[in-house]
Amino acid sequence: MDDLRTTLLTLAPDERRDFGVFIQRQRRKAAGRQDSRLYELLVQAKELKPEQLIAKLYPDEPNPVAYYALRKRLLRHLTDFLLLRQRQLDTTAAASVRGQLTLAQYLFEAGIPRLAWSTLRKAEKLARENEQYEPLNAVYNLQIQYAGSPHAVPLDEILPRYRANKKAADEEERANIADSLLRQRLRESRARGRATVAVDGILQQILAEYDLQEAFARSPSLLSRLMSIARNAMLVRRDFTSFAPFIERCYNLMERRHGFAPAQRGHQLRLLYMLAHALYRSRRFAESVAYLEQGQALIAAGPARQFTELVPRFTFLLAANYAFLRRNAESIALLEGALRGPKPLAAADDLTARFQLSFHYFAEGKFAKANQSMLSLNRTDHWLEQHLGLEWMVNRNIGELLIQFEMGNQELALTRLRATERSLREQFPAMPAEGDAPAVPVGGPYQAVLLYLSLVREVIENPAEARRPEFIDRVWHMPNFLSSEREDLQVLSFYAWLRAQTLGRPYYDVLLELAYA
C-alpha cells in the first residue's frame, strides 16, 4: 500500500482540485511539472506500483533517485497545503489568540510597543474567556518579557494571573492524562472480553495519583475530562442508571452558571453526547433524542469542518434511539445516508454503521438486507477480536447466526453458533476452586452467553421446541442474564429474539415491550 497515495485519497473532491492548483502555484519549470504529474498518477482510480510510476515519469531513462526525491517534495507540498487550509478554517479562540500573539511579537520587534501591548491585552481577554490555557501561558510569558515597557501592565498584576493559569492548565493536563490512562487500562480489559476488572480500584488509584479527587466542574474543559473518566468506568460497570442523572445535573449546572462560549463548543458537544448516551442506556430515549438534537444544532451552526469527527457518533446514537421510539425507518435512512456521504467514514465508524444497520433491517424483517449489511463488514473473527475486542466479535457472530436462521439457512446458523461456542470455551475454560478463589464455570464471564447459545441451538435444530412449556420457562427465567445486563440494549435485543420465538410474535414488538418493561 502506498502511504502517500492513501493520504492524498483522503482529500475530498474540492480539496483535491484546490491542492492541484496549489501545486501549480508552487512549481518551478520542469520539476514543478513533475510534481503535478506524480500527483495526477497517484490519485487516479488504478493504483500503480513504484516501477510503473517511475516508467511513466521518466520514460527515457528510469530514475528511482529522482522519483523518491519527487515524492518527498510532493509530501512537503501537501503538508504546506494542509497547514494553510487549517489556518483558513480554524475559527476557534485558540487560533485567534495565536494570531494576535504573532502580531504582538512582530510589533515589539518593529518597535511599536504601545500597539503590541494593546494586542496582548486583547489576546489575554480572549484566551481567558475561552479557557485557552496553553496560548494564554504564551501571552503571559510575552507580557513578562516586555514588562519594562511604559505601556505594560504592572508586573505584580501579571504574575498572579500567570500562576493561576499555570495551575488551571496543569489540572487540565492531569485530567487528560488520567482519562487516557483509564481508557488504556479498560481497553486492555475489553480486549480480553468481560474479564473481571476492578474498575473502581483503577479509577480511584488514577484520580489519587493525579490529585483529581477534589476536582470539580470549574470549567467546561475540565468537566468534559472528568465526565469522560467517570463514563469509562460506567461502560465497564454498566451502571448508567446512576451516571445519567449525575452527568445531567453537572451539565445543566454548568450551563446555568457559566454557559458555553463558542470556543467551548467542542467540550459542550462531548458532554451532550455522553449525556445522551447515558440516557439511551437508561432507556430514556426521548430525552436522549432531545439532547442529541441540541448537539446537532450546535454542529450545524458552527464551522463546517470543526466538529466533523463527532457527526457519525451523534448519527449512530440518534438512529439507535429512533429504533426504540418506533421510528426504525428513520434509523435506516440515517445510517444509509451516513454510508453514502460525500466523504467516506473512518474505518471504525464504517463498521459500526454497517453492523448497526443490520440490526435495524432485522427489526423490520428485511433479513436479506440485514445479511448484505453484515457481509459488508468483510472482517474475520480474528481481526474483529484484535481491533474491536472479543465482545464486538461475539455480538457480530450472534447477529449473523440469527439472520441466517431467519433466512432459512439452519446449517449456516449452526456453523456460526458452534464456532462462537468453541471460541468462548477455549478462551474461558472451567477452573477448579483454589484457595479462597471459587471455582469458575466454563465460559467464565461469558457463561450466560453460552447458556443463551444453547437455547438458540435448540430452536435452530427444532423450531417447534420454542413453544414447549418447559423451554418457555427456561427462557423466561434465564439466571444472571437480564438482571446483570439490564442496561445493555445489545444483550436485550438478542434476548428479545428468543422471547419472540416462545411467543410466536414479531421480534420488534417484543423488543420494544422488553425495553419499556
Side-chain angles (χ1 to χ4, degrees):
M1 183 178 292
D2 189 325
D3 291 343
L4 180 55
R5 169 182 161 85
T6 301
T7 305
L8 290 168
L9 291 179
T10 61
L11 297 174
D14 59 330
E15 293 171 335
R16 291 189 199 175
R17 183 182 60 252
D18 292 344
F19 181 50
V21 173
F22 181 82
I23 296 174
Q24 293 287 338
R25 292 174 180 170
Q26 309 302 312
R27 77 183 195 180
R28 295 180 181 178
K29 300 182 181 179
R33 288 195 296 272
Q34 289 289 66
D35 294 346
S36 296
R37 178 65 175 147
L38 175 59
Y39 171 60
E40 292 166 1
L41 291 171
L42 287 173
V43 297
Q44 67 182 18
K46 182 180 179 181
E47 182 174 0
L48 300 176
K49 296 181 179 179
E51 53 269 24
Q52 294 174 310
L53 289 167
I54 292 171
K56 287 183 176 293
L57 289 165
Y58 309 100
D60 297 331
E61 182 178 354
N63 191 337
V65 174
Y67 164 70
Y68 286 106
L70 183 61
R71 287 177 62 90
K72 290 182 180 179
R73 192 160 64 241
L74 182 58
L75 181 59
R76 284 199 300 271
H77 286 325
L78 178 60
T79 304
D80 291 342
F81 170 75
L82 294 175
L83 183 61
L84 179 62
R85 190 192 65 167
Q86 182 64 30
R87 287 176 177 172
Q88 293 171 339
L89 297 175
D90 194 347
T91 60
T92 62
S96 298
V97 173
R98 285 193 294 268
Q100 291 176 341
L101 185 61
T102 301
L103 176 59
Q105 288 173 318
Y106 169 78
L107 291 170
F108 278 127
E109 293 169 2
I112 315 177
R114 179 191 59 79
L115 193 52
W117 266 102
S118 175
T119 304
L120 275 182
R121 289 187 182 92
K122 293 177 184 177
E124 180 189 2
K125 183 175 183 294
L126 183 62
R128 289 179 65 181
E129 288 175 349
N130 293 280
E131 298 178 331
Q132 296 296 324
Y133 303 121
E134 184 179 349
L136 182 55
N137 186 63
V139 169
Y140 285 138
N141 278 315
L142 195 59
Q143 288 182 349
I144 293 168
Q145 180 181 348
Y146 290 97
S149 167
H151 308 284
V153 174
L155 188 59
D156 57 0
E157 293 181 17
I158 300 173
L159 292 177
R161 296 202 291 262
Y162 166 77
R163 295 189 188 101
N165 180 66
K166 289 285 283 186
K167 181 179 178 181
D170 180 64
E171 192 170 59
E172 185 180 50
E173 287 174 4
R174 285 186 280 114
N176 187 24
I177 293 170
D179 182 17
S180 296
L181 191 56
L182 182 64
R183 285 174 184 270
Q184 176 183 311
R185 294 185 183 176
L186 296 182
R187 188 164 54 246
E188 291 169 355
S189 173
R190 282 198 296 270
R192 297 189 297 270
R194 301 181 190 182
T196 302
V197 54
V199 179
D200 289 328
I202 293 174
L203 180 59
Q204 291 304 319
Q205 178 187 353
I206 292 173
L207 293 180
E209 183 178 354
Y210 292 95
D211 193 24
L212 292 168
Q213 304 100 310
E214 304 301 323
F216 187 66
R218 289 183 292 271
S219 70
S221 60
L222 185 58
L223 178 61
S224 177
R225 296 293 186 194
L226 294 175
M227 289 301 104
S228 178
I229 292 171
R231 178 175 178 267
N232 276 305
M234 296 304 108
L235 282 170
V236 174
R237 277 207 309 254
R238 292 175 168 85
D239 186 19
F240 281 93
T241 52
S242 60
F243 179 62
F246 170 63
I247 186 175
E248 191 169 26
R249 283 196 306 273
C250 290
Y251 177 83
N252 290 331
L253 187 63
M254 175 63 69
E255 191 173 38
R256 285 197 305 270
R257 285 187 176 178
H258 308 290
F260 294 91
Q264 298 165 343
R265 287 292 181 256
H267 300 303
Q268 184 181 10
L269 286 168
R270 288 175 180 84
L271 286 166
L272 282 170
Y273 177 81
M274 287 188 280
L275 171 53
H277 184 257
L279 290 169
Y280 164 74
R281 294 289 288 267
S282 302
R283 308 188 191 185
R284 294 162 60 183
F285 305 114
E287 294 168 75
S288 178
V289 167
Y291 282 112
L292 287 171
E293 289 175 343
Q294 183 180 339
Q296 287 185 317
L298 291 172
I299 292 173
R305 303 172 187 270
Q306 193 170 350
F307 306 114
T308 52
E309 79 281 0
L310 293 173
V311 172
R313 297 170 67 184
F314 274 78
T315 301
F316 300 159
L317 187 53
L318 191 61
N321 274 290
Y322 281 169
F324 290 96
L325 293 169
R326 284 202 176 275
R327 299 169 64 180
N328 198 47
E330 293 175 67
S331 301
I332 292 173
L334 278 175
L335 294 171
E336 288 180 338
L339 288 168
R340 289 197 305 264
K343 193 169 184 178
L345 294 172
D349 288 337
D350 184 83
L351 291 173
T352 299
R354 294 177 189 279
F355 181 60
Q356 188 175 338
L357 188 57
S358 70
F359 159 76
H360 294 291
Y361 282 138
F362 189 91
E364 292 285 304
K366 298 177 180 178
F367 304 119
K369 284 194 170 184
N371 186 48
Q372 290 174 2
S373 185
M374 193 70 80
L375 290 174
S376 70
L377 293 177
N378 196 29
R379 291 291 189 274
T380 64
D381 285 1
H382 178 73
W383 191 97
L384 290 173
E385 185 175 349
Q386 290 296 311
H387 291 83
L388 300 177
L390 177 62
E391 193 136 342
W392 214 102
M393 183 269 284
V394 170
N395 287 339
R396 193 283 300 268
N397 289 351
I398 295 176
E400 189 174 48
L401 73 89
L402 295 182
I403 290 170
Q404 291 302 325
F405 175 74
E406 293 289 1
M407 293 176 66
N409 301 323
Q410 284 90 344
E411 284 304 316
L412 283 175
L414 280 173
T415 298
R416 177 53 75 185
L417 186 149
R418 293 188 193 105
T420 305
E421 285 182 324
R422 183 169 59 252
S423 176
L424 293 177
R425 290 178 187 277
E426 289 175 352
Q427 293 198 48
F428 302 99
M431 301 290 289
E434 185 174 340
D436 295 333
V440 178
V442 64
Y446 286 84
Q447 181 189 12
V449 177
L450 289 176
L451 171 61
Y452 171 80
L453 290 174
S454 70
L455 293 170
V456 172
R457 178 199 292 269
E458 293 183 46
V459 175
I460 294 174
E461 293 177 339
N462 180 17
E465 180 73 14
R467 308 304 296 277
R468 289 180 58 245
E470 185 271 337
F471 183 86
I472 293 172
D473 185 68
R474 287 160 59 202
V475 169
W476 285 50
H477 297 90
M478 287 184 68
N480 302 320
F481 189 70
L482 289 183
S483 58
S484 62
E485 304 286 358
R486 187 183 186 283
E487 293 163 10
D488 192 332
L489 292 169
Q490 181 74 65
V491 171
L492 187 72
S493 68
F494 290 143
Y495 176 77
W497 179 86
L498 202 53
R499 181 79 77 98
Q501 297 298 308
T502 68
L503 296 170
R505 293 179 54 207
Y507 161 74
Y508 191 30
D509 291 343
V510 175
L511 173 62
L512 295 186
E513 287 178 7
L514 288 173
Y516 287 95

